[in-house]
Amino acid sequence: MQDTAPTRSDALLAVAVTSLVAAAVVAEGGPPARVALAGAFAVGFGALLLGGRRRPVAVLVATAAGMVAYYWLDLPPIGLAAPVAAALYLAAERGRVRAAAGVAAALLAVSVAARLAEGDDPGFVLGLQLGSEAVTVVAVIALGDAVRSRRSLRAELRRQADAAAEERRREAARQVDAERVRVARELHDTLGHAVSVIALQSAVAQEAIDDGATDAARGAVTTIREVTGGVMTELRATLGTLRAGSGTREPAPGLDRLGALAEGVTRSGLPVELRVSGATAGVPAVVGTTAYRIVQEALTNALRHAGAHRVTVVVDASPAGLVVEVVDDGRGGPVTERGHGLHGMAERVALLGGTLVAGDAPGGGFRVHASLPSGGAR
């Protein structure tokens, strides 16, 4: 919405018009009453301009009517330029170009008709005088319209700049949220599996110590040490993404680490059968990491919730994509019992455009089946 309050420039313009008209009246001279009436018109012309921003067309029409009345009363000549030009400028500057042009044309027509009726030289009136006045009003209207266009352009540029800044802020917030979710998912997968293995191995070590089985206790402690070492490596890689200039980062685990993962779970007391087929060397790193995390979370859930005695992990790479299936022989149960891990699996798979199915296996137990588009897999 445009501001309609008079500005400092409007006040200065009003003072200037009043001063110019008053100076012309004083210079012409005449009877005091006539000069006083002309002076009142001068003040009126200036006062009208103070409302030019609120009602520009009304002010322009009133100014034109005032000029007609002024000359009809046979007051000292002041020309059309000063009072009318200012009103024309304000009307054009407020976007009323057509109205300004129409009023200017009508006023020029009245002025020419009056001068011809008074017996002025038609050649002079229709030539130099009309031409100069027409050029003046056209220039004034063009100036007002140019000022309006420039102001509108600046406003539009500011609006676009504000919109771009807001979009950058929203994009930065989206990126922060996405990174937060990614880090949370990495920490959940990494710590969840490690804590599950450590808890089981701690229980094994406790029983072995109670039974005096030193070798078994030593094996459990060794497994705990290996798991903690691995989880620290992954934590450093994950947290490294949060630090600027963190240097070389550890590569994310992929299909090549599935053997070590299965072996660690097997040592924790849950035998894992791993079957890998197809040309896994051609699987993109991001797909391999996603497959690793799916297997890791599925094995963690089997350790925590399933009460299983055996788990089978099948990974098959083909030109159509990568298929990952993890089936345990535990008690199965609702998906909601598996915590946030399955939600994290679904997010990872969705980011790659794959599909994930998790639920009770046909022959009992729990089954996780993921299909991932592998791109470069052969």
Side-chain angles (χ1 to χ4, degrees):
M1 184 176 179
Q2 290 182 325
D3 185 11
T4 57
T7 64
R8 181 179 300 178
S9 62
D10 294 339
L12 292 175
L13 187 60
V15 171
V17 168
T18 300
S19 300
L20 288 173
V21 174
V25 170
V26 171
E28 180 68 18
R34 185 168 178 263
V35 171
L37 182 56
F41 268 91
V43 173
F45 288 139
L48 279 173
L49 296 177
L50 296 178
R53 292 189 177 274
R54 182 180 297 275
R55 299 186 183 279
V57 176
V59 168
L60 177 58
V61 172
T63 301
M67 289 298 299
V68 173
Y70 183 92
Y71 282 108
W72 182 76
L73 293 172
D74 196 25
L75 295 175
I78 57 175
L80 297 177
V84 175
L88 287 173
Y89 169 82
L90 286 178
E93 191 265 341
R94 301 304 283 180
R96 307 296 194 273
V97 176
R98 291 184 179 179
V103 172
L107 194 56
L108 287 175
V110 171
S111 175
V112 168
R115 287 170 182 168
L116 291 176
E118 291 175 356
D120 290 351
D121 180 19
F124 175 74
V125 172
L126 297 175
L128 179 61
Q129 189 170 27
L130 178 59
S132 62
E133 290 179 348
V135 168
T136 300
V137 297
V138 168
V140 169
I141 293 174
L143 176 62
D145 188 56
V147 171
R148 180 194 61 81
S149 299
R150 184 178 180 84
R151 182 180 295 115
S152 299
L153 177 61
R154 287 201 301 265
E156 177 63 19
L157 292 176
R158 283 196 299 269
R159 188 195 65 78
Q160 292 179 0
D162 292 342
E166 178 64 16
E167 182 58 29
R168 287 193 296 270
R169 186 194 66 77
R170 291 179 180 177
E171 180 60 26
R174 284 194 293 267
Q175 291 179 359
V176 169
D177 287 342
E179 184 66 8
R180 176 183 57 78
V181 171
R182 189 193 69 80
V183 171
R185 198 163 49 225
E186 291 289 336
L187 291 177
H188 174 274
D189 293 346
T190 300
L191 293 178
H193 179 77
V195 169
S196 297
V197 172
I198 290 172
L200 287 174
Q201 291 297 329
S202 298
V204 171
Q206 182 65 52
E207 291 180 3
I209 292 173
D210 292 341
D211 296 340
T214 306
D215 291 341
R218 185 178 292 110
V221 171
T222 299
T223 300
I224 291 173
R225 184 172 64 249
E226 291 175 353
V227 170
T228 53
V231 78
M232 285 303 298
T233 298
E234 290 196 36
L235 282 176
R236 280 193 296 270
T238 300
L239 296 177
T241 63
L242 303 179
R243 301 190 183 100
S246 58
T248 303
R249 299 171 184 169
E250 294 288 337
L255 297 179
D256 58 326
R257 298 270 294 276
L258 287 178
L261 178 64
E263 183 180 348
V265 174
T266 298
R267 288 202 304 268
S268 298
L270 178 61
V272 177
E273 179 184 356
L274 175 63
R275 306 172 189 167
V276 180
S277 60
T280 57
V283 176
V286 65
V287 177
T289 298
T290 300
Y292 178 91
R293 293 303 187 193
I294 291 172
V295 174
Q296 184 183 51
E297 181 58 32
L299 293 178
T300 300
N301 286 336
L303 284 170
R304 285 180 174 178
H305 309 294
H309 299 91
R310 188 172 188 84
V311 181
T312 300
V313 178
V314 177
V315 177
D316 179 47
S318 69
L322 188 70
V323 174
V324 179
E325 185 172 85
V326 182
V327 182
D328 65 57
D329 61 355
R331 62 175 179 272
V335 173
T336 54
E337 293 182 359
R338 305 286 166 144
H340 297 288
L342 287 177
H343 181 67
M345 286 187 201
E347 287 180 340
R348 291 179 183 277
V349 172
L351 287 174
L352 297 181
T355 59
L356 177 75
V357 178
D360 291 341
F366 198 81
R367 171 178 175 266
V368 175
H369 181 92
S371 296
L372 306 174
S374 60
R378 294 291 188 272

